[in-house]
Short mmCIF file of all heavy atoms in Angstrom, two decimals:
data_model
loop_
_atom_site.label_atom_id
_atom_site.label_comp_id
_atom_site.label_asym_id
_atom_site.label_seq_id
_atom_site.Cartn_x
_atom_site.Cartn_y
_atom_site.Cartn_z
N ALA T 8 -2.08 -10.42 -10.10
CA ALA T 8 -1.76 -9.06 -9.64
C ALA T 8 -0.27 -8.99 -9.33
O ALA T 8 0.38 -10.01 -9.10
CB ALA T 8 -2.58 -8.70 -8.41
N SER T 14 11.22 -6.25 0.02
CA SER T 14 11.03 -7.46 0.83
C SER T 14 11.36 -7.14 2.28
O SER T 14 12.38 -6.52 2.57
CB SER T 14 11.98 -8.55 0.32
OG SER T 14 12.17 -9.53 1.31
N HIS T 33 -7.65 -14.56 -3.17
CA HIS T 33 -7.78 -15.49 -4.30
C HIS T 33 -7.28 -14.90 -5.61
O HIS T 33 -7.88 -15.07 -6.67
CB HIS T 33 -9.23 -15.97 -4.43
CG HIS T 33 -9.74 -16.56 -3.16
ND1 HIS T 33 -9.43 -17.84 -2.74
CD2 HIS T 33 -10.50 -16.02 -2.17
CE1 HIS T 33 -9.99 -18.06 -1.56
NE2 HIS T 33 -10.64 -16.97 -1.20
N ILE T 62 15.97 -4.92 -11.77
CA ILE T 62 14.54 -4.58 -11.68
C ILE T 62 13.94 -4.55 -13.10
O ILE T 62 12.84 -5.07 -13.33
CB ILE T 62 14.34 -3.24 -10.94
CG1 ILE T 62 14.82 -3.38 -9.48
CG2 ILE T 62 12.88 -2.79 -11.00
CD1 ILE T 62 14.81 -2.09 -8.67
N ILE T 89 12.27 5.01 -8.22
CA ILE T 89 10.95 5.47 -8.69
C ILE T 89 10.96 5.57 -10.22
O ILE T 89 10.05 5.09 -10.89
CB ILE T 89 10.58 6.84 -8.07
CG1 ILE T 89 10.40 6.72 -6.56
CG2 ILE T 89 9.29 7.39 -8.70
CD1 ILE T 89 10.22 8.05 -5.83
N LYS T 94 9.41 3.97 -15.66
CA LYS T 94 9.82 3.59 -17.03
C LYS T 94 9.21 2.24 -17.40
O LYS T 94 8.62 2.08 -18.47
CB LYS T 94 11.35 3.51 -17.10
CG LYS T 94 11.90 3.10 -18.45
CD LYS T 94 13.40 2.85 -18.41
CE LYS T 94 13.72 1.50 -17.77
NZ LYS T 94 15.13 1.19 -17.67
N LEU T 104 -2.83 1.00 -11.49
CA LEU T 104 -1.79 1.04 -10.46
C LEU T 104 -2.32 1.63 -9.15
O LEU T 104 -2.93 2.69 -9.14
CB LEU T 104 -0.62 1.91 -10.96
CG LEU T 104 0.62 1.97 -10.06
CD1 LEU T 104 1.29 0.60 -9.98
CD2 LEU T 104 1.61 3.01 -10.60
N THR T 111 7.88 6.14 5.66
CA THR T 111 8.56 5.59 6.85
C THR T 111 7.78 4.37 7.34
O THR T 111 6.63 4.17 6.96
CB THR T 111 8.60 6.60 8.03
OG1 THR T 111 7.25 6.94 8.35
CG2 THR T 111 9.39 7.83 7.73
N GLU T 120 13.85 8.40 0.64
CA GLU T 120 14.65 9.62 0.86
C GLU T 120 13.79 10.85 0.61
O GLU T 120 13.00 10.88 -0.35
CB GLU T 120 15.79 9.66 -0.17
CG GLU T 120 16.93 8.75 0.14
CD GLU T 120 18.00 8.82 -0.96
OE1 GLU T 120 17.88 9.64 -1.87
OE2 GLU T 120 18.94 8.02 -0.86
N THR T 139 -2.85 5.64 -1.65
CA THR T 139 -3.29 5.29 -0.28
C THR T 139 -2.32 5.83 0.79
O THR T 139 -1.74 5.06 1.54
CB THR T 139 -3.40 3.76 -0.12
OG1 THR T 139 -2.08 3.20 -0.36
CG2 THR T 139 -4.39 3.14 -1.07
N ASP T 155 -7.69 19.00 10.79
CA ASP T 155 -9.13 18.76 10.96
C ASP T 155 -9.71 18.21 9.65
O ASP T 155 -8.98 17.94 8.69
CB ASP T 155 -9.84 20.05 11.38
CG ASP T 155 -9.55 21.20 10.41
OD1 ASP T 155 -9.20 20.90 9.24
OD2 ASP T 155 -9.66 22.37 10.79
N TYR T 191 -10.49 8.73 4.85
CA TYR T 191 -11.26 9.60 3.94
C TYR T 191 -11.04 9.13 2.50
O TYR T 191 -9.91 8.90 2.08
CB TYR T 191 -10.78 11.04 4.10
CG TYR T 191 -11.44 11.99 3.13
CD1 TYR T 191 -12.82 12.25 3.20
CD2 TYR T 191 -10.70 12.64 2.13
CE1 TYR T 191 -13.43 13.12 2.31
CE2 TYR T 191 -11.30 13.52 1.25
CZ TYR T 191 -12.67 13.75 1.34
OH TYR T 191 -13.27 14.61 0.45
N GLY T 197 -15.66 12.61 -7.85
CA GLY T 197 -15.89 13.72 -6.92
C GLY T 197 -16.65 13.26 -5.68
O GLY T 197 -16.68 13.96 -4.67
N PHE T 201 -16.31 9.17 4.40
CA PHE T 201 -15.39 8.59 5.39
C PHE T 201 -15.74 7.12 5.60
O PHE T 201 -16.93 6.76 5.64
CB PHE T 201 -15.50 9.33 6.73
CG PHE T 201 -14.76 10.63 6.75
CD1 PHE T 201 -15.40 11.82 6.40
CD2 PHE T 201 -13.41 10.68 7.10
CE1 PHE T 201 -14.71 13.02 6.40
CE2 PHE T 201 -12.72 11.88 7.10
CZ PHE T 201 -13.37 13.06 6.75
N ILE T 227 -9.19 -4.94 -7.81
CA ILE T 227 -9.21 -4.35 -9.16
C ILE T 227 -8.86 -5.43 -10.19
O ILE T 227 -9.47 -5.51 -11.26
CB ILE T 227 -8.23 -3.15 -9.25
CG1 ILE T 227 -8.72 -2.01 -8.36
CG2 ILE T 227 -8.11 -2.67 -10.70
CD1 ILE T 227 -7.75 -0.82 -8.26
N ALA T 236 -13.77 -1.97 -4.13
CA ALA T 236 -12.42 -2.48 -3.81
C ALA T 236 -11.91 -1.81 -2.53
O ALA T 236 -11.33 -2.47 -1.66
CB ALA T 236 -11.48 -2.22 -4.98
N ILE T 248 -6.72 -6.90 11.85
CA ILE T 248 -6.17 -6.25 13.06
C ILE T 248 -6.89 -6.74 14.31
O ILE T 248 -6.29 -6.90 15.38
CB ILE T 248 -6.31 -4.70 12.95
CG1 ILE T 248 -5.42 -4.15 11.84
CG2 ILE T 248 -5.94 -4.03 14.28
CD1 ILE T 248 -5.62 -2.67 11.55
N GLY T 255 6.86 -12.86 16.64
CA GLY T 255 7.80 -11.82 17.08
C GLY T 255 7.45 -11.32 18.47
O GLY T 255 6.36 -11.59 18.99
#
Side-chain angles (χ1 to χ4, degrees):
S14 160
H33 306 281
I62 296 174
I89 295 172
K94 179 188 76 181
L104 185 66
T111 58
E120 284 178 5
T139 61
D155 55 23
Y191 176 65
F201 281 92
I227 294 174
I248 293 173

